[in-house]
Each structure stands twice: as structure tokens, then as C-alpha cells.
Amino acid sequence: MPTSVTARARINLALVKYWGKRDARLNLPAAGSLSVTLSGLGTTSTVSFNSRLTEDRLFVNGEVVRDHRLERASRFLDIFREKARCRERAEIVSFNDVPEGVGLATSASAFASIGLAAALALDIGDDREELAKLVRLGSGSASRSLFSGFVEVSPGIRADGEDYSVRTIASPDHLAMAILVVVVSSARKRVGSREGMEHTRLTSPYYGAWLQEVERDLALARKAVLEKDFSNLGRIAQRQAFRLHGAALAAEPPLLYFSDVTIRAIEVVRDLASRGVECYVTLDAGPSLFVLCRIGEEEEVTRALARIEGVERVVAERPGHAAEVL
Ligand code: PMV
């Protein structure tokens, strides 16, 4: 009989970003990161283990997937199978609310939802600290989506990664702010985060400086969250994004994740800020962006962003809750 569990996880936005590993095999980050889990957009996944299956199967948004994503998902399930001493193959059925591959961290909500569902289907239990260590192996940012509100990752120093940890430092309602997700599509083939950060580490002369600044910004961002200081948190989040992209641009060959639409959106945010509408922009490894602003001003900011040619949609979010079983 199949054992089936459905879980949902939302995407998370890194305010202090993860870009570089201290151990590629264990997928251990070189530095800490700090994120906010969003309230809406994410992935719902059903994982069903079944002794009658001869291989793993993956369906994303109703379509069967047979490319590298199946291989990656299958290796991810192996981690849970090994832990549970189970050999059964599984079927994963995932639905994403946002497009993949445009810099919206769908891998975080995908791996968090699949990991949580697999752990419960195999009776591994729901200890989030322990699950974070397993989910991290699928995608480094995914472990943060297991937690609610403002979430900090500590990379640890042990070679076996056992002191890696993730925890909520403040609940979703601790600091009121709006997070606008600006969806920009791109036909361009881009370099995924996993490869991109390794390429930056190996070839960018700015990688060392980037890591040093992350350590500093992490302490400042934590303080800003705890003090409910939106302005400082926004400033740190914005410079974090530009520093990450600065290090990536200095790699050889350079990594450019921005599109023309990204640049136009950055200009609109600057223009709003210069007119006294406090908002900050941040982005990950793709052309889409996130804009932080105060509640009450989100409609004005959304209108300005939605007018930009090439912006597909703008979704207003708030800090939100941890991955959950449905
Ligand atoms: O989790 P990964 O391997 O997809 O890497 C995430 C990298 C960034 O999204 C650019 C930054 C972050 O901390 O989420």
C-alpha cells in the first residue's frame, strides 16, 4: 500500500544572502544567511512511496518530468530512504504557484515541501532542526522554508556539518512589512545558483570580500529585525543583493542575472524612494525581483512596478508561516 503525505511550503526571501559553500558534497554554506518566509506563494507536494513502483516519478504542474530535475529529486529522496532504511520508490506530484528558473527561489519551496512530505511518509518524524539538515542537501535555501517568519542559518564549523543550524529569530508578525514579488520572465538560459555560486567562489576576486561583508551584515540584519527597524533591514537587504551580484559579475566569465526589465524595475524603485516612498529592492539568481515597502504604501509601489513593460505580475506578500502538512 502506498504511504502518501501532502505538504506545502512557501518561498523565502534571503535578506542576507547565501552565495558560496564551505563543503559542496554536504552542501554546507560558507556563511550564515537570514531570510523571511513569505505568506503565500510556494509549492504543494504529495510524496507517495509505493512498493509496486520500479522507479521514482516526478510530476510538476501536471506534467511528467524526465529531465535532470527527476534525477535531482530522486537523489534527494535517497537521503530520506537511507535514513528510514526503506527501498521503496516514490511518486512526487508538485504544484508551483510561481514560474521556475526566473530567480524566485522555487527550489526552496519545492525541496522543503517534498522533504517534509517524504519525512512524514517514511515516519522519520517532524523535528525541524533535524529535517533542515536533510532538506539542505536538496537546496541550501530550502531549509529556511521549513521555519516561519524571520529565519537565520548558522553554517557551523564542524567538518561533518552536525553543528549547522536553522531557527526562527522572530515570528511573522514581529516586523510589519510588505514584500512585493515582481515576476519577470526570461527566455535566456541562466546559470543555476548551485553552479553560479561555485563559479563565483572559484573565479571572482571579490568572493573573499563578499563573505566578510555577509558576516557583518548578518549581525546588523539580526539586530534590525529584533529592533523592528524596517529602514535598516531594507538597506541591508538591498546592499546584500548588489554585493552578491557584484561578486558574480566579477567572476570569469562574468555571471549576469539581470535582464533589461530588472534594470527598469530597479530604476522605478529608486525613483519611488527619491520621492519619499520608502522601498528597497533585492534579487536572487535570476531576473525577478522582490521589493520591500511599508504596509500602506504597497498599492502605490505595486502600481508603479506593474506598469513596467516585461513585468508579468506583482504579488503582494507578508512575512508568513513554516512549511506544513496538509
Ligand atoms: O538554495 P540554492 O542553492 O538555490 O541557492 C540560493 C541562492 C540565492 O537564492 C541567490 C540566495 C539565498 O540565500 O537564497
Side-chain angles (χ1 to χ4, degrees):
M1 279 296 286
T3 332
S4 184
V5 173
T6 301
R8 173 155 181 84
R10 287 88 187 167
I11 58 174
N12 70 79
L13 165 63
L15 301 166
V16 175
K17 307 227 182 251
Y18 151 54
W19 195 251
K21 302 178 200 296
R22 70 176 172 91
D23 184 314
R25 193 180 58 84
L26 294 176
N27 213 20
L28 283 167
S33 58
L34 196 152
S35 63
V36 55
T37 302
L38 304 199
S39 52
L41 296 175
T43 308
T44 300
S45 299
T46 301
V47 180
S48 314
F49 287 91
N50 187 335
S51 55
R52 283 196 291 245
L53 288 175
T54 53
E55 52 193 29
D56 292 324
R57 293 204 293 222
L58 173 64
F59 296 84
V60 177
N61 294 346
E63 286 188 10
V64 62
V65 174
R66 292 201 182 82
D67 59 20
H68 65 280
R69 287 174 295 170
L70 170 62
E71 160 76 23
R72 194 169 165 194
S74 198
R75 272 191 279 119
F76 184 57
L77 288 182
D78 286 343
I79 299 160
F80 294 83
R81 279 190 279 254
E82 195 179 310
K83 184 103 183 149
R85 296 178 198 286
C86 159
R87 295 162 70 98
E88 282 182 17
R89 301 289 107 186
E91 182 178 274
I92 303 172
V93 179
S94 280
F95 289 93
N96 286 323
D97 302 334
V98 281
E100 295 169 65
V102 294
L104 284 174
T106 41
S107 70
S109 54
F111 282 104
S113 60
I114 295 169
L116 179 58
L120 290 167
L122 292 175
D123 267 338
I124 291 173
D126 188 4
D127 176 334
R128 296 288 160 115
E129 278 279 324
E130 286 309 308
L131 268 187
K133 290 179 185 152
L134 305 179
V135 164
R136 177 196 78 218
L137 296 163
S139 157
S141 57
S143 57
R144 299 187 306 233
S145 283
L146 291 171
F147 294 79
S148 68
F150 296 85
V151 179
E152 181 171 347
V153 172
S154 304
I157 49 169
R158 281 176 53 160
D160 63 5
E162 279 306 307
D163 55 351
Y164 162 93
S165 71
V166 189
R167 67 191 176 103
T168 290
I169 61 162
S171 62
D173 52 9
H174 174 81
L175 172 55
M177 63 177 180
I179 305 147
L180 307 178
V181 184
V182 186
V183 185
V184 172
S185 72
S186 162
R188 218 160 27 92
K189 188 170 164 5
R190 63 177 194 99
V191 180
S193 329
R194 195 171 272 232
E195 283 162 75
M197 65 177 80
E198 194 58 2
H199 179 64
T200 306
R201 182 179 75 82
L202 294 171
T203 68
S204 174
Y206 299 162
Y207 179 71
W210 151 253
L211 272 190
Q212 264 178 20
E213 292 307 314
V214 168
E215 292 295 344
R216 244 195 290 267
D217 278 348
L218 194 57
L220 294 172
R222 187 190 308 121
K223 185 164 177 284
V225 169
L226 297 178
E227 290 175 354
K228 304 179 198 269
D229 184 344
F230 170 72
S231 301
N232 254 328
L233 187 63
R235 267 197 294 273
I236 295 164
Q238 181 165 286
R239 74 175 178 231
Q240 268 288 306
F242 286 106
R243 284 175 182 172
L244 183 160
H245 288 278
L249 271 169
E252 176 66 45
L255 283 174
L256 174 64
Y257 287 106
F258 294 15
S259 74
D260 53 339
V261 186
T262 315
I263 308 272
R264 281 204 288 279
I266 292 169
E267 278 166 0
V268 165
V269 170
R270 284 198 174 165
D271 184 49
L272 284 163
S274 72
R275 290 193 282 112
V277 181
E278 192 176 6
C279 52
Y280 303 93
V281 65
T282 171
L283 66 157
D284 290 330
S288 295
L289 314 95
F290 299 84
V291 176
L292 306 177
C293 68
R294 291 191 184 272
I295 290 165
E297 293 188 321
E298 63 199 293
E299 278 179 22
E300 181 179 356
V301 180
T302 300
R303 267 199 306 277
L305 291 164
R307 270 200 298 267
I308 301 168
E309 202 189 322
V311 166
E312 282 193 358
R313 59 183 169 132
V314 181
V315 183
E317 298 258 357
R318 295 272 193 279
H321 289 282
E324 67 205 336
V325 176
L326 299 183

